[in-house]
Amino acid sequence: CAILDVQAACQDTSVTQELLKEGFHRDLLVKVELGVVGEDARGCAVAARTRLPPGIYVDPYELASLQQHNLTKAVLIPDVIDVEAPEYLATDLLVLLYMEPDPRCSRCFRAALPVHGRYHRPAEDSEEALVVLKSPEVLVCCCDNRLSAECWKPAEVAAPCSGKTVGPCQWYSVMHKPAYEELILQVPVGLRQHSSLVCVVTLLATVLCSSLILAAVCKYGHFS
């Protein structure tokens, strides 16, 4: 009975995530409501650690620009990402997304991160590929160590408690109840039966554009 009571108390923390916009370029919105820390959560740093599958990625250059304007804070592992690689040549990406307090709720935090779908192999009979995002892990870092030992466990995270500090700190992970275990991203893909048509159109467009460039060079270029 005692074990069941502890598990019930630790399940108060909830997390939801959703994808905004359409197509290849989306915003991943993550919301966390802490139930264990209570009203004192304002003094804690909260982050969501999520693993992005190969079909989706974060542009590190776009992220650096957003962080310069204090629009988001996140750590990418690895921090070097091939943004041109297709899904079948890419690898998983681990993201530590720092969250901001929600002014409408004293225990709530939220953060948004721009993500992009990768190109997939052409499909046989479907114009969409499905990319599955698992529910993120909720991490908390509090200065006064007021976290309940029954609910919060030390986490192996080598990252600072905020984007401004340099040294890593001790993060703690909590059991939580996700609104959905998985989030599905639908990425548009081509059909294999269209491969010949795509190749012909691409070749014709390449020849036409090359001819126009060559004609412009011959007409307006200055040759010594």
Side-chain angles (χ1 to χ4, degrees):
C1 294
I3 295 177
L4 294 177
D5 291 340
V6 170
Q7 290 180 344
C10 296
Q11 289 292 329
D12 290 337
T13 297
S14 63
V15 57
T16 59
Q17 58 178 355
E18 60 180 304
L19 287 165
L20 309 178
K21 302 179 182 179
E22 298 292 336
F24 281 90
H25 310 289
R26 315 289 287 269
D27 284 335
L28 177 62
L29 177 62
V30 182
K31 301 178 182 178
V32 171
E33 182 176 357
L34 297 178
V36 181
V37 181
E39 299 297 333
D40 297 330
R42 294 298 184 184
C44 301
V46 180
R49 181 166 63 173
T50 183
R51 184 174 296 276
L52 301 181
I56 192 172
Y57 71 97
V58 177
D59 188 336
Y61 305 103
E62 180 184 20
L63 178 61
S65 177
L66 293 174
Q67 293 191 135
Q68 287 180 352
H69 296 86
N70 293 323
L71 297 178
T72 189
K73 291 187 293 184
V75 174
L76 305 181
I77 304 173
D79 56 356
V80 177
I81 301 171
D82 185 358
V83 299
E84 301 294 338
E87 178 269 340
Y88 48 87
L89 295 179
T91 58
D92 290 357
L93 173 64
L94 189 63
V95 180
L96 183 66
L97 180 61
Y98 295 95
M99 314 197 73
E100 297 291 335
D102 189 337
R104 297 169 297 181
C105 173
S106 61
R107 298 181 302 160
C108 301
F109 296 79
R110 58 186 293 155
L113 181 71
V115 296
H116 308 274
R118 292 189 183 273
Y119 290 108
H120 288 61
R121 294 185 187 273
E124 291 288 350
D125 53 3
S126 175
E127 296 184 356
E128 292 180 333
L130 302 182
V131 180
V132 179
L133 281 75
K134 297 292 186 179
S135 179
E137 178 185 9
V138 179
L139 300 174
V140 171
C141 177
C142 296
C143 298
D144 54 5
N145 297 321
R146 60 175 174 272
L147 300 176
S148 172
E150 292 82 4
C151 301
W152 297 89
K153 305 300 180 183
E156 296 290 336
V157 180
C161 279
S162 70
K164 298 181 180 180
T165 57
V166 178
C169 60
Q170 180 60 65
W171 289 89
Y172 291 86
S173 176
V174 67
M175 297 172 54
H176 65 276
K177 51 181 181 182
Y180 305 98
E181 292 290 345
E182 298 177 345
L183 183 63
I184 306 296
L185 169 64
Q186 297 177 330
V187 179
V189 297
L191 296 177
R192 291 189 177 180
Q193 55 264 37
H194 297 162
S195 298
S196 299
L197 176 61
V198 171
C199 291
V200 171
V201 172
T202 302
L203 178 60
L204 293 177
T206 302
V207 172
L208 176 61
C209 294
S210 300
S211 301
L212 292 175
I213 294 174
L214 182 60
V217 170
C218 294
K219 183 176 182 179
Y220 301 104
H222 299 282
F223 304 96
S224 56

